[in-house]
């Protein structure tokens, strides 16, 4: 029999394709699923403690898409989600996670992961959700994250300042960096370039307001570009300054405004009544003075109102008895 090397190679290639289709259920894939397996096993090796054994089935035998916390795209047969919450994992973030080229959700909330976010993560071009809250991460968000144009939801723990490069993620709708040690001025220019923001949570950081911590006007003015903002949280930051009288004209859709535990002084502007969708308002533990404006009773959707521990004078407006949905009211210690 004459050996035809060309036909043999074609036949071999055909058999490989057929076997891959049989194994992967006729789904095209972005790269070898073994690459995803190797990346996940490299991450497992970077974990020094796995007390709840959530990674016990991460091995060479179990199918990758059956690993605990792993989800795959059935069309491309690639890992698209890595979600491990409250597992008390101890270790580092492996840069090999960047080899999960189709990863869209990376959520490792409430573990004991330390170190920095590897700059290699900037190659995760499909990443849209990054949740790393409740870990022991340090350093700054890599500037190379500006390449992650699909990133829409960020929930982190960091030092330093929020990098300006975050503005390149123009589709971002949730920026939650609460309970960190972020410094610098409130990120006015940065949020002004994130018009799709729905949720802005900056509470319990070490930021300051402008002009030696005495001017909140420029920050609130910058938020005018965030026309669909739903929640604004700046609690526990020791911010100084006054609430601008224009605050009622800035947000048409705001439902939650949390500014407690700061050093905000001055009076409450009656224009606050223009925040017609507001359901939660917390101004407790500040230096506010003057009278409580009766107009506040016109916030018909208000469910929670906290004004305690300020320096208000006068009586509580009788009109505040007209709230129809109010379930929590605290006006003590003023």
């Amino acid at each position: 029999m004459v050996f035809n090397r060309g036909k043999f190679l074609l036949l071999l290639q055909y058999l490989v394709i057929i076997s891959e289709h049989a194994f992967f259920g006729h789904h095209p894939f972005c790269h070898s699923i073994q690459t995803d397996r190797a990346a996940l096993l490299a991450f497992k090796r970077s974990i020094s403690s796995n007390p709840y054994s959530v990674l016990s089935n991460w091995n060479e035998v179990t199918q990758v898409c059956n690993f605990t916390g792993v989800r795959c795209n059935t069309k491309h047969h690639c890992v698209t989600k890595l979600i491990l919450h409250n597992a008390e994992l101890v270790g580092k973030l492996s840069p090999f996670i960047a080899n999960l080229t189709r990863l869209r959700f990376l959520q490792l909330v409430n573990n004991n992961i330390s170190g920095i976010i590897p700059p290699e993560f900037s190659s995760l071009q499909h990443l849209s959700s990054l949740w790393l809250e409740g870990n022991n991460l340090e350093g700054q968000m890599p500037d190379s994250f500006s390449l992650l144009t699909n990133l829409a939801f960020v929930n982190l723990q960091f030092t330093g300042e929020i990098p300006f490069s975050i503005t390149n993620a123009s589709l971002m709708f949730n920026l939650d960096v609460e309970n960190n040690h972020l410094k610098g001025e409130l990120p006015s220019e940065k949020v002004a370039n994130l018009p799709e923001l729905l949720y802005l949570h900056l509470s319990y950081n070490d930021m300051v307001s402008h002009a030696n911590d005495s001017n909140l006007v420029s920050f609130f003015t910058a938020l005018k570009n965030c026309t669909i903002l739903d929640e604004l949280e700046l609690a526990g930051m020791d911010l100084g300054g006054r609430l601008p009288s224009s605050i009622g004209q800035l947000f048409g859709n705001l439902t939650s405004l949390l500014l407690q535990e700061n050093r905000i002084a001055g009076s409450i502007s009656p224009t606050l009544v223009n925040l017609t969708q507001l359901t939660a308002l917390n101004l407790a533990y500040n230096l506010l003075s003057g009278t409580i404006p009766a107009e506040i009773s016109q916030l018909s959707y208000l469910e929670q109102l906290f004004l305690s521990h300020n320096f208000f004078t006068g009586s509580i407006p009788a009109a505040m008895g007209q709230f129809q949905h109010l379930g929590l009211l605290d006006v003590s210690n003023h």
Side-chain angles (χ1 to χ4, degrees):
M1 182 176 66
V2 179
F3 179 79
N4 189 315
R5 184 173 182 273
K7 289 184 178 180
F8 175 79
L9 290 177
L10 288 174
L11 176 62
L12 180 62
Q13 184 180 29
Y14 174 77
L15 291 174
V16 168
I17 292 173
I18 290 297
S19 63
E20 286 180 341
H21 279 199
F23 182 78
F24 294 125
H26 300 280
H27 295 303
F29 51 94
C30 52
H31 56 82
S32 171
I33 193 67
Q34 296 304 321
T35 302
D36 283 355
R37 182 190 298 274
L40 292 170
L41 293 181
F43 170 65
K44 180 180 180 179
R45 288 192 294 272
S46 71
I47 299 300
S48 58
S49 178
N50 176 28
Y52 299 141
S53 300
V54 295
L55 306 182
S56 61
N57 69 342
W58 288 32
N59 51 50
E60 295 289 354
V61 178
T62 307
Q63 289 189 10
V64 174
C65 299
N66 290 332
F67 282 12
T68 300
V70 172
R71 296 292 181 272
C72 294
N73 181 301
T74 56
K75 179 179 179 181
H76 297 100
H77 205 80
C78 293
V79 173
T80 57
K81 297 181 181 180
L82 176 55
I83 302 175
L84 295 168
H85 292 182
N86 305 301
E88 295 190 16
L89 299 173
V90 178
K92 306 288 186 180
L93 275 180
S94 170
F96 287 99
I97 291 177
N99 290 339
L100 302 172
T101 57
R102 288 278 175 175
L103 194 66
R104 296 180 59 240
F105 294 84
L106 177 58
Q107 301 179 4
L108 304 173
V109 175
N110 292 332
N111 287 285
N112 293 302
I113 296 172
S114 59
I116 64 169
I117 292 185
E120 289 86 351
F121 281 17
S122 61
S123 65
L124 295 171
Q125 292 297 300
H126 296 276
L127 194 66
S128 63
S129 178
L130 179 64
W131 291 17
L132 299 175
E133 179 188 15
N135 286 286
N136 300 312
L137 295 169
E138 58 189 17
Q140 301 187 35
M141 183 184 294
D143 287 336
S144 56
F145 268 36
S146 62
L147 301 174
L148 301 179
T149 55
N150 289 307
L151 194 61
F153 193 113
V154 178
N155 191 340
L156 304 172
Q157 190 171 62
F158 275 102
T159 59
E161 297 187 18
I162 297 175
F164 193 83
S165 57
I166 201 172
T167 61
N168 291 330
S170 58
L171 297 179
M172 184 177 295
F173 66 88
N174 190 323
L175 178 57
D176 186 341
V177 291
E178 290 184 347
N179 297 291
N180 284 291
H181 298 285
L182 293 171
K183 299 183 182 296
E185 288 190 346
L186 290 171
S188 301
E189 292 183 59
K190 297 158 190 173
V191 298
N193 286 281
L194 296 173
E196 300 299 318
L197 273 182
L198 284 172
Y199 312 106
L200 179 58
H201 298 173
L202 303 178
S203 297
Y204 302 103
N205 278 288
D206 302 324
M207 299 178 197
V208 297
S209 58
H210 299 274
N212 296 318
D213 209 23
S214 64
N215 180 9
L216 286 169
V217 174
S218 56
F219 177 71
F220 279 93
T221 300
L223 288 172
K224 69 181 180 181
N225 291 336
C226 304
T227 57
I228 60 174
L229 191 66
D230 186 84
E231 297 179 3
L232 175 61
E233 300 184 7
L234 304 174
M237 300 176 71
D238 205 30
L239 297 172
R242 295 172 177 263
L243 289 177
S245 59
S246 60
I247 188 171
Q249 280 74 49
L250 296 177
F251 316 110
N253 300 296
L254 200 68
T255 65
S256 179
L257 178 59
L258 307 185
L259 303 175
Q260 69 270 24
E261 300 174 55
N262 285 296
R263 293 183 292 108
I264 300 172
S267 59
I268 298 178
S269 171
T271 63
L272 201 68
V273 72
N274 293 324
L275 302 178
T276 56
Q277 304 301 310
L278 209 60
T279 61
L281 174 61
N282 196 332
L283 299 173
Y285 291 91
N286 275 289
L287 304 176
L288 295 166
S289 57
T291 60
I292 299 175
E295 291 85 351
I296 204 170
S297 63
Q298 298 177 37
L299 296 173
S300 58
Y301 292 102
L302 208 59
E303 299 173 359
Q304 301 178 20
L305 176 60
F306 300 92
L307 301 175
S308 66
H309 296 87
N310 280 286
F311 297 91
F312 296 118
T313 57
S315 59
I316 298 173
M320 290 179 63
Q322 301 174 7
F323 286 119
Q324 297 181 4
H325 303 285
L326 197 65
L328 292 173
L329 172 63
D330 188 352
V331 291
S332 62
N333 295 92
H334 73 272

